[in-house]
Amino acid sequence: MTDTRPQPVQKLRIVFDEGEMVGPGKAELLEHIRDTGSIAAAGRAMGMSYKRAWQLVETMNAMFCAPLVVRSRGGVQGGSATLTETGTMVLSAYRDYESAARSAGQPHVDRLTALLRPKDKGV
């Protein structure tokens, strides 16, 4: 019997208060905004509507001491969006947290993985 199970994935979310959290989805959204310069393009890259992406940005902007994303209205070609210095710091802090938590948690994940029932090929 060969175990065909994929490697476990650790997904971490920091909940500050009800409705105020940062996790892998919001971090990914910030990265896409940083890379594309567009909330709409970031949403499309993640398979979400512009409205949903903008709602998440508004939530994050309201959570922190300064906005994470600023947008400028555009003309014919549309507007743009940019991560602020605070946005860059929040994204960096979250990714650093993820990395530290993964490293610290890996021995525990390994112990749990060792206790899983093996999966057979084709099952």
Side-chain angles (χ1 to χ4, degrees), residues 39-78:
I39 294 170
R44 279 193 303 274
M46 295 178 68
M48 75 174 69
S49 69
Y50 171 78
K51 180 180 179 181
R52 179 67 180 141
W54 180 242
Q55 287 172 336
L56 292 172
V57 167
E58 284 182 317
T59 297
M60 288 187 285
N61 280 349
M63 282 173 50
F64 291 94
C65 62
L68 307 189
V69 176
V70 293
R71 69 177 185 158
S72 61
R73 295 182 189 260
V76 176
Q77 295 182 357

Side-chain angles (χ1 to χ4, degrees), residues 22 30 34 64-68 83-97:
V22 177
L30 290 174
R34 178 196 63 205
F64 291 94
C65 62
L68 307 189
L83 248 55
T84 63
E85 184 177 348
T86 303
T88 300
M89 290 189 306
V90 166
L91 178 58
S92 176
Y94 176 77
R95 290 302 189 203
D96 289 347
Y97 161 73

